[in-house]
Amino acid sequence: MKKEILFIACAIVGSSDAVHGAAETEKAAAVAYEQMVDGRIAVNYYNDYLQEIAADARHYLVEELTKAVE
């Protein structure tokens, strides 16, 4: 009888640790996903910004070359 109670107690403790561990893993995965999304948002913002700068620089260069040729 004592062995059965000990076995049941171990099973309950083990299952609660597994659930707790799974919850921690899921929480860590959610945090990592949010950081990844934030990073991608920042990268996309700066890529768009750099594309605008490049377009403005090309436009300025063409205007200056046109003025110089005239």
Side-chain angles (χ1 to χ4, degrees):
M1 182 69 174
K2 289 182 181 181
K3 287 183 182 180
E4 291 173 358
I5 293 174
L6 181 61
F7 178 73
I8 292 171
C10 288
I12 291 172
V13 169
S15 66
S16 67
D17 286 343
V19 170
H20 181 68
E24 289 294 320
T25 302
E26 187 174 318
K27 183 178 177 182
V31 169
Y33 179 77
E34 287 176 17
Q35 290 175 345
M36 179 193 68
V37 169
D38 290 344
R40 285 186 179 178
I41 289 170
V43 167
N44 289 336
Y45 172 78
Y46 286 110
N47 282 341
D48 291 342
Y49 181 66
L50 289 174
Q51 288 176 358
E52 289 177 22
I53 290 173
D56 290 344
R58 279 191 295 266
H59 180 71
Y60 175 75
L61 180 63
V62 169
E63 282 182 353
E64 292 301 314
L65 287 174
T66 304
K67 288 178 187 176
V69 170
E70 290 175 350

